[in-house]
Amino acid sequence: MSQNDSQKIRIILTLNEEEFFGLKTLPKADFLEIRLDQFRSEKDAPEKILQKIKDLNAPCVFTYRQPEDSSLKSLGNWNMENIAPLLSALESGKHYIDLELDKDNPVFNGIDEDRFGIIRSVHSFSGIPDYEELLFFLRPVTEEFLATVKSGLPFQRIFKIAALPKNEQESKDFQDSALKLSKLCAKQNIPIGFCGILMGESGKEFRIFPERIGSQFTYCCLGEPKAPGQVDLETLLSKRK
């Protein structure tokens, strides 16, 4: 990976069921985030999602947010059994799975991690974890064994931290911590991608210009925000011109 490529900002577009199936063409985003908790889980849902991904030829991030880690109400009841037909049929080396570091991820139990890039994520809606706590979460990601796999992904592992500050000082603390974490991720023998998200109004600037806090990824929405402070894709692209 070249230095320029590692510094490129990737845009991840978060979609609910209605938005995803309403797409006619692939939006100007690097990945579509399929928020499975925002999709109904009928018997034919995996087949429908898979067909739409193929029609769009879309690289995706698959996420299942548990209720305490989302401001949105879940629409479907996904589990290891009903998601398996979808994940097993996806093209290897093209998509990411989001696994939360601080809790179990039963929906994704048993997946073949070599077929996917993995986003290791932490979410805090009750203030900013201090730098030492963030280092604690990063440590197991740096120690993971990464098999040599053929992949078109920018990173095989991404460390993602999203936090909602209680005040201006916490916002500043997060900005400092994110810059330090970004440098640590880049220094690994196999570089780890870094995604830092400052939720809420104070973080909107860094969703549009994530590189200002060392983040190589940013999440945006198509319609209504899916997280506090999320901006829409059109605004993001316009501001970044």
Side-chain angles (χ1 to χ4, degrees), residues 67-81:
E68 65 270 22
D69 292 316
S70 175
S71 55
L72 304 173
K73 183 180 178 181
S74 295
L75 298 182
N77 183 25
W78 292 87
N79 54 47
M80 186 171 58
E81 287 72 27

Side-chain angles (χ1 to χ4, degrees), residues 13-141:
L13 177 62
T14 305
L15 299 167
N16 62 22
E17 182 181 66
E18 181 180 0
E19 293 165 344
F20 175 68
F21 286 112
L23 293 176
K24 303 300 182 185
T25 59
L26 189 63
K28 293 181 179 179
D30 296 284
F31 294 91
L32 304 183
E33 184 188 29
I34 295 179
R35 278 283 302 267
L36 285 166
D37 53 290
Q38 297 303 300
F39 282 66
R40 287 169 292 179
S41 51
E42 279 88 351
K43 188 175 181 180
D44 61 348
E47 183 180 345
K48 287 182 177 179
I49 295 170
L50 182 64
Q51 186 58 55
K52 188 68 175 180
I53 291 170
K54 289 180 176 178
D55 291 345
L56 294 169
N57 190 25
C60 297
V61 174
F62 292 90
T63 303
Y64 186 83
R65 286 282 166 261
Q66 300 182 54
E68 65 270 22
D69 292 316
S70 175
S71 55
L72 304 173
K73 183 180 178 181
S74 295
L75 298 182
N77 183 25
W78 292 87
N79 54 47
M80 186 171 58
E81 287 72 27
N82 62 12
I83 198 176
L86 169 60
L87 298 183
S88 62
L90 290 167
E91 181 181 342
S92 293
K94 186 174 180 178
H95 308 281
Y96 281 102
I97 303 288
D98 186 308
L99 300 177
E100 295 176 277
L101 270 165
D102 53 345
K103 51 180 59 69
D104 293 332
N105 298 273
V107 171
F108 296 120
N109 279 350
I111 65 166
D112 182 357
E113 292 192 8
D114 287 348
R115 296 185 63 246
F116 300 94
I118 303 296
I119 299 174
R120 301 290 190 191
S121 62
V122 179
H123 300 81
S124 174
F125 288 86
S126 56
I128 303 297
D130 64 33
Y131 182 63
E132 290 303 317
E133 186 175 355
L134 294 175
L135 279 179
F136 173 81
F137 285 123
L138 175 60
R139 195 166 295 117
V141 185

